[in-house]
Structure formats: C-alpha cells, structure tokens
Amino acid sequence: MAVLYSVPVYFYPLLVNIFVIALLCLLPYQSIIPYLIFFSISVTSFLGITKTLTGLQSESINAFLFGLPFYSAYLAYKLLKRDISWRDTFVASNPLLLFTGPVAIFFRPIRYSAIHRRLNQYFPFMVIGVFFFKIIASPLTKFLPMLALTDVGNSITFAFIYELFVYFNFAGLSLIIYAVFGILGIKIPLNFRQPFSSRNLVEYWKGWHLSLSGVLKELFYSPIRKKTGTTVAVFCVFISSALWHGMTLNFVMWGVFHALFYILSIALLKRNYKYVVTVLMLFAIVVGRLLFSDSDTDRLLLKLMPFNGASPDFSLFKKIPITSYLSLMLAVIVVSAEFVFAKKKYFRERSYKFLRIPIIQLTLVALAVVMVSATAGVDYAVYGQR
Amino acid sequence: MRFTANVRRKLHVFFLAVFFVMYVGYLLFDRLDDDSKMGLQIVQNHAEAFPTKSSEVDALILGGSNATFGFSAELLSQLTPYRFYNLALIRNGFNPPEHIRFLMSITSKTDRDRIKRIVFSTVQVLRPLPFDDFTMRVDGYSKSFIEPSRSILGFIYDRLRAKQQFKVTGEYGDFDFTHFNCVFNSSNVTFSPPPVNVAVDYIKDYVDAYKIMFVNAQIIVVAPTEYDLHPSLRNSYVNQLSSELKKLGIQLIAQPAVKDLGLICDESYHPNAKGRIVRTRQLADFLLPM
C-alpha cells in the first residue's frame, strides 16, 4: 500500500501546506488538533513518505523526516496538556531526540549541578546503552534476513530474535541519550525499565517505551476510559499505537492482538491466575513480535499457518558470523537475568541497577573492547530512522 | 569501610583506563595489520598490475567476488575478439562510492576511453537488503577511526583457523586458486531477493556511472551462476528483472543455476577453477553474437 501511494518528494511542501491549512481551519475545534498531529505519522506512512517498522532495515528516503513519530507525539502531548511554548519547539526538534527517541514528555534541569556527581550517576547508563546498542543489537542485524523464512520454527525463532533486537537497539539508544542529557544537566524520561522483569503483560507495558505510553495514556486511555470503560480504552490505545508504527495490516493485527491479551491478562489477574498470565505474557510478546515484524501481508499469513508446507531451512544460520551468535547469547543472558531475578535487590527498582554495579560495568566495558567492530552489523535507529 | 570504597573506586578507574589503552592499542594494530583485510591483496595486485597492462586492455570484467572467482579474463580473451582484464573486487568494493573511486584511481582517461566492453556481474541484486557496507573502504579497512575493521575476538578466531589467500594474477587479473581452499559451507540456498524495482535502481546507478566513466564501452550486466537445487524462483525473478532492465535499455545476461557441487568453491556463487571455465565459456557464448 505504501508503495502504491508513494508521493514524489517535490509534493512534500504542498502536503505540508495542506496540513497547516487544515489545522488552521480546525482552530475552533482545538481538541482535535493534538490527534491530527499524532496521526500525521500514520498519514505519511499511508502515503509512502515514511516507512513502516518492518523486520529489515527501514530508512526513509527523506532524512528530514527522521524522527517524525517522536516529533508529532511530543507536540500532540504538549498541545493536549495546553503546556506548549516556543521552547518546546526546540525540545521537539532536538536532533538527538528525533533520531532515537524518547518522546521528551518532560525535559527539565537536574537539581544538583556538580558535573562529577552527574558523571557518577549517568556514565553507567552510557556504558549500558553503548553495550546494548553496539555490542548486542548491531550484530543481531545479521539475523534479519530470516524474515524471509516462512516455516513455523524459523518464524518463531525470528520473532524471538527480532524482539531482542528491537529491545536492545531502542533501549540502548534511549539509555545513551538519557545519559548524555543527564551529564549535560537535563532530565528526560528513562524510556525502558527492564520490561522483561515483568510477570504479566500489564507490567511488561509499564517497562517498554514508557514515553510513548505516557503520550498514549493522556491522549487516548484517560479520556476514553472515563466515557466507555477500560476495555474500549485499551483497544483504542493499542490501535493508535499500531497506526503510529505504520499503516499496514500487520500493525493493526498486532494492536488488536496485544489489546486482547492485555484485557485477558487484567481479567486473569483479578482471579489471581499468576502463572497463567506469565505464560500468556511470553506468548504475547513472541507472537506479537511475529505480527509486528512483517509488513508483507501474504508472507505473514503464510507464517501464521503452522502447517503451511514450508520446509525448514537452516542454511542461513551457517552464514551468520560467530560474533552475532555471541551477541545473541549475551542478549538472552541479560533478558533472562531481568526475568529470573526480577524480585531481587538490584532488579526490583527496574532501572538497570544490576548492570550499574561496578564489577558488572567493568565486565561490560571489557566485553565491548573485545567485541566491537565496524563490520559486526548495521548501526541504525530502529524507531527513529524511518 | 570508606577506605575499601576508595580502593574499589580507584581500581574501577584503573581497569577502565587499562581497557581504554588496550582498545586504542588494538585500533592502531588494526590499522597496520594487512592480513586481516579481506580483499586488500586483490586491490593491491590490481593497483600494481593493471597500469602495466592497461594499454593492451579494451574490455573489463567488473563486479563482486562472484566475478573474481567466476570469470577468467584470459580464457575470455581467447574466446572473444577482446582483450579482457578482470577488475572485479571482493564484495564489489563494499559500496558504490568506494568501487567508483577505486576504478578512477587505477585507470587513466586514455585507458577508460579505450574500453569497448564492460561485463558487470553482481550477485547483490539476488540477495536480501542491505546491499552495501558504507562503513568500509575498498581495501577492507574500516572508515571509522574509533572502531576496528575486525573485533579482537574475531582476530583471535581467524588466527586459529587456516588462512585463506585472496590473490589475483597480474597478467589478466584472474583469481589464483592455488592458495585457496574450496570448502563449501552451505548445503541449501534460500533465494530471497529484494523487490525488483530496488534491484533495477541498484543496477541502473552502476550502469550510469560506468557510462560516464567509459564513454565508448558497451555495458552488459550479468546475473551470475549460482548453486541452487530449486532454481524456478530464481529464474522467474531474473526474467522479471531482465524485462524491467530492458525497458531502460540495459541488457542482462542470466547465467543458469547449477546443481553440481563439483563446480562450486566456498560459496554458492563462487565457482571453483573448473566451474570458472564453464561459466566463462557460457559468457563467451553469450557475448560472441553481440
């Protein structure tokens, strides 16, 4: 669909003008404007101007549109809160935030000013961020051609690896930016809070892409819940989130799927089915990512049929370098530690404290030194660069 | 307690400094270590040999390692009226700017005007995206000053394995199989090409650049031979690609897939010495009526 409706670059100014005029016409109905701005990324995705988040490297042709999802979400949030000033325009268009996220739903000075204190506090986040992004996520890009494989085993394996890739790429960049701004004396949201330290899907979403969750809560969840109740509100949140990710059928399927499992998890939690919700969470994460990863509808439907006749193909695995397998192993270790020790001392705050212990920091640095290479994989921002 | 904390803190800083120095040391070593640079030897061989032969050469083989392994310029020169030189590079020089820069540096204006025919063979258009690696230079060095071309772990791993030599002969630029161990490392090939329009754009960019550089040359694009037990998907894709390229006036020669592992070296698109003869003869058969 995106290709069908792709718009030549020289029409962009015209589209921007139409958009601005439409906004001006809607001034009497101010409450609609934040929603229009929020969904502008869905419109550009529908028109083919920006890409969707597919399983392979996806970069928009026009570099000026990098970060449009973060920009539009930020402005929509600020407009809704009626807390917007000229300063926010500069915050929203900060290249670091546009390139990697998070949506800066707050951006305020840190109270204590001594640089050594800020370094002590934020440098460990920088180490974790670089380790996540460069040592774990980038080599995992070598697994991305698995997207083309349709047999059930490889499809599920790819979904699992892609979940890890998106997490370590996006969380890594978010942690780097969090540390950079922290060292400079500015507090921005910590975008990820050990999502795999969760025991159910509700907790998981409290740890994943928190800045967007904050925007979605203000824009959709709170107002809709007041009028119609939780179920409809949850569906609206996930469908809106899906459309923010891209205007393709797979994202709508992903949104509906996660909304259903989220509501089911709430219902089961009320009945105290603790272990069932944990199993549901793991199932929803992997199958959800399977839906999320492939915007080729025909291929996705084939993958969703377990007995589709596709024979398992393992030849790709032989071509993947050993460093990528090492990165995959490290990814599994970190995620397993988050999950298994969730209630332990260094884990329960859900702020990567276990990775900020000095000896662990040294280990991360040592691993980075022996594993970093320009050719290990592709460095790109999975969320910003589309 | 406070004393222990101070010692711990100092140790922490000390080890961070040690790792930093170690990393900088390895970066310097990586810049000086020629052995690890895949394709460096081929680039050096071409840079030394081509200028001495350029006055005789009126046809070039360009492209990636499929052409390095798969074509013999010497045999092609015997079978056709042209004097070929094989200037193909490992991974096509990693990215188009590096590839073009290399060609510009190795050939003079007179050399380029003399070229009548170019065979451009690339397997990239039959592979999933991304095609190019923009982090690398044509000689296999990393462009980045803060990252090595190969990790320390990769370096140790490679040292433990038998060393392969990528080397070409000076006369024709043909690959020297004598120091290369052909062990095939894949049993089954997954054919997952990019969208046809992406492949067409990729080829067109190269052809346009060659047209500017080699103004008198006829450019022929080749979809290389590959080991493939189920070639029907490949064939239909290449046919589609060929018809799209034809609309742009670009000729594509599709070389057939092979099912005989006895013709293949280490990769599905790397023929061995025997396979190279078969592939070169096929190309000559295509070229002669043109």
Side-chain angles (χ1 to χ4, degrees):
Chain A
M1 185 178 280
V3 173
L4 192 68
Y5 290 95
S6 64
V7 174
V9 176
Y10 42 83
F11 278 127
Y12 289 5
L14 179 69
L15 288 172
V16 170
N17 283 339
I18 292 171
F19 189 66
V20 170
I21 291 165
L23 288 183
L24 289 173
C25 293
L26 286 167
L27 269 180
Y29 312 97
Q30 279 183 32
S31 56
I32 302 172
I33 293 175
Y35 297 93
L36 282 175
I37 290 176
F38 180 84
F39 286 117
S40 60
I41 183 68
S42 314
V43 175
T44 56
S45 167
F46 181 74
L47 294 171
I49 301 169
T50 51
K51 298 275 176 70
T52 55
L53 262 161
T54 61
L56 290 179
Q57 188 179 354
S58 171
E59 284 187 26
S60 293
I61 301 158
N62 190 342
F64 288 110
L65 292 172
F66 283 175
L68 181 63
F70 298 120
Y71 183 82
S72 53
Y74 177 80
L75 284 185
Y77 176 83
K78 284 286 184 178
L79 275 170
L80 188 87
K81 301 282 270 181
R82 294 178 189 256
D83 176 27
I84 195 156
S85 64
W86 285 111
R87 178 180 162 274
D88 291 308
T89 319
F90 294 108
V91 173
S93 50
N94 184 308
L96 282 177
L97 292 171
L98 286 181
F99 195 64
T100 66
V103 185
I105 51 176
F106 60 82
F107 191 89
R108 54 175 177 253
I110 294 170
R111 274 170 293 148
Y112 50 88
S113 57
I115 181 76
H116 73 274
R117 285 188 64 187
R118 296 204 303 266
L119 268 173
N120 275 347
Q121 172 148 8
Y122 288 99
F123 185 73
F125 285 105
M126 174 81 84
V127 171
I128 301 168
V130 171
F131 185 78
F132 276 14
F133 176 71
K134 188 70 199 163
I135 305 303
I136 298 186
S138 291
L140 290 184
T141 54
K142 301 272 183 188
F143 287 95
L144 297 190
M146 281 179 76
L147 178 70
L149 305 176
T150 52
D151 64 284
V152 64
N154 276 318
S155 301
I156 296 292
T157 309
F158 174 70
F160 174 70
I161 294 173
Y162 193 57
E163 170 75 13
L164 296 176
F165 166 68
V166 174
Y167 172 49
F168 286 102
N169 179 294
F170 195 16
L173 284 170
S174 297
L175 285 164
I176 294 171
I177 298 304
Y178 178 75
V180 168
F181 278 106
I183 291 167
L184 292 173
I186 295 158
K187 183 96 177 160
I188 60 165
L190 184 58
N191 213 16
F192 285 80
R193 283 186 167 273
Q194 293 172 216
F196 296 97
S197 290
S198 313
R199 290 290 177 266
N200 57 65
L201 206 55
V202 180
E203 278 182 21
Y204 171 82
W205 282 112
K206 284 179 183 167
W208 185 281
H209 202 173
L210 286 171
S211 58
L212 180 67
S213 300
V215 174
L216 292 171
K217 188 180 169 191
E218 291 297 326
L219 251 71
F220 302 99
Y221 184 76
S222 301
I224 296 171
R225 190 177 170 225
K226 276 181 202 159
K227 287 181 183 167
T228 60
T230 306
T231 307
V232 177
V234 167
F235 264 98
C236 287
V237 164
F238 277 102
I239 299 291
S240 309
S241 173
L243 299 181
W244 182 85
H245 284 92
M247 281 288 278
T248 44
L249 185 64
N250 67 308
F251 286 118
V252 178
M253 289 164 76
W254 168 82
V256 172
F257 177 82
H258 260 282
L260 278 173
F261 274 80
Y262 194 94
I263 291 159
L264 186 61
S265 297
I266 293 172
L268 290 171
L269 278 169
K270 282 179 185 164
R271 287 166 182 77
N272 212 18
Y273 288 116
K274 281 183 184 171
Y275 299 108
V276 179
V277 286
T278 304
V279 175
L280 269 187
M281 177 189 77
L282 298 173
F283 178 79
I285 289 173
V286 176
V287 178
R289 195 54 76 182
L290 176 66
L291 298 171
F292 186 97
S293 64
D294 205 342
S295 55
D296 180 333
T297 309
D298 292 341
R299 189 170 57 195
L300 178 61
L301 294 176
L302 200 61
K303 286 179 184 179
L304 293 174
M305 287 184 271
F307 305 105
N308 59 24
S311 56
D313 184 346
F314 304 108
S315 60
L316 189 74
F317 293 100
K318 292 180 186 169
K319 305 209 173 215
I320 294 168
I322 195 154
T323 44
S324 296
Y325 285 105
L326 274 177
S327 297
L328 181 60
M329 193 181 77
L330 289 170
V332 172
I333 289 172
V334 172
V335 164
S336 304
E338 277 186 27
F339 183 74
V340 174
F341 304 113
K343 305 291 175 207
K344 301 282 181 197
K345 188 181 167 190
Y346 289 105
F347 292 80
R348 57 179 171 244
E349 268 184 35
R350 297 184 67 167
S351 59
Y352 300 100
K353 202 172 178 181
F354 70 106
L355 294 174
R356 288 187 281 136
I357 301 167
I359 187 72
I360 301 289
Q361 284 271 304
L362 280 179
T363 311
L364 298 186
V365 173
L367 282 170
V369 165
V370 295
M371 287 178 72
V372 75
S373 139
T375 52
V378 187
D379 301 333
Y380 75 109
V382 71
Y383 266 63
Q385 230 162 306
R386 64 175 165 117
Chain B
M1 189 74 176
R2 189 170 175 81
F3 173 77
T4 321
N6 272 339
V7 170
R8 267 197 210 148
R9 194 179 153 73
K10 279 179 183 164
L11 274 176
H12 185 73
V13 174
F14 170 76
F15 278 111
L16 278 180
V18 167
F19 290 138
F20 179 75
V21 170
M22 190 176 145
Y23 185 65
V24 173
Y26 181 69
L27 273 180
L28 289 171
F29 170 77
D30 183 64
R31 291 278 143 192
L32 302 170
D33 177 35
D34 288 352
D35 283 358
S36 65
K37 310 301 177 294
M38 193 170 69
L40 174 65
Q41 181 129 35
I42 289 182
V43 168
Q44 283 175 343
N45 291 159
H46 286 324
E48 285 162 17
F50 183 76
T52 63
K53 299 289 166 196
S54 61
S55 58
E56 304 164 16
V57 174
D58 60 358
L60 291 176
I61 297 166
L62 301 176
S65 61
N66 78 85
T68 307
F69 281 74
F71 288 132
S72 163
E74 186 175 3
L75 182 59
L76 212 51
S77 302
Q78 289 164 14
L79 298 173
T80 65
Y82 296 96
R83 166 63 163 96
F84 272 91
Y85 188 93
N86 192 339
L87 258 183
L89 299 166
I90 298 294
R91 293 192 62 189
N92 216 9
F94 293 100
N95 56 67
E98 286 294 304
H99 176 90
I100 300 297
R101 206 173 295 134
F102 171 73
L103 288 181
M104 292 297 278
S105 70
I106 206 172
T107 57
S108 67
K109 174 84 173 70
T110 329
D111 294 338
R112 292 196 289 272
D113 289 349
R114 203 181 293 119
I115 301 298
K116 300 279 182 295
R117 187 159 279 195
I118 284 175
V119 173
F120 173 56
S121 179
T122 175
V123 79
Q124 297 293 79
V125 292
L126 308 178
R127 289 286 177 275
L129 293 164
F131 294 146
D132 303 308
D133 185 349
F134 287 93
T135 63
M136 302 297 283
R137 286 188 346 207
V138 70
D139 51 12
Y141 281 91
S142 163
K143 278 185 183 171
S144 166
F145 286 103
I146 56 165
E147 291 171 289
S149 315
R150 189 175 47 169
S151 66
I152 295 176
L153 273 187
F155 169 78
I156 296 166
Y157 181 72
D158 285 353
R159 281 290 147 114
L160 295 174
R161 289 192 311 170
K163 202 172 147 192
Q164 294 278 50
Q165 276 194 22
F166 291 87
K167 205 174 166 187
V168 296
T169 58
E171 191 80 6
Y172 288 90
D174 288 343
F175 189 70
D176 181 0
F177 281 101
T178 50
H179 302 289
F180 196 88
N181 188 18
C182 282
V183 179
F184 191 56
N185 65 14
S186 174
S187 58
N188 192 6
V189 177
T190 311
F191 186 72
S192 48
V196 171
N197 61 327
V198 177
V200 168
D201 287 347
Y202 180 79
I203 291 173
K204 189 176 173 300
D205 286 348
Y206 269 104
V207 170
D208 288 347
Y210 293 152
K211 275 182 185 165
I212 294 166
M213 288 172 69
F214 304 98
V215 285
N216 298 317
Q218 183 194 8
I219 298 149
I220 298 135
V221 181
V222 177
T225 296
E226 241 187 305
Y227 171 70
D228 192 347
L229 294 173
H230 310 285
S232 56
L233 267 177
R234 183 184 190 279
N235 293 344
S236 70
Y237 177 81
V238 173
N239 287 340
Q240 211 184 336
L241 184 63
S242 176
S243 64
E244 289 301 316
L245 286 171
K246 207 172 182 179
K247 289 177 194 165
L248 300 171
I250 300 170
Q251 189 174 15
L252 178 84
I253 294 175
Q255 294 202 286
V258 292
K259 295 182 178 180
D260 180 5
L261 263 183
L263 299 174
I264 300 298
C265 188
D266 60 329
E267 291 277 354
S268 61
Y269 51 91
H270 285 176
N272 57 21
K274 199 172 147 194
R276 175 166 71 178
I277 295 171
V278 175
R279 204 186 149 190
T280 307
R281 284 188 183 281
Q282 275 174 0
L283 179 68
D285 290 343
F286 279 118
L287 291 179
L288 276 174
M290 290 167 73

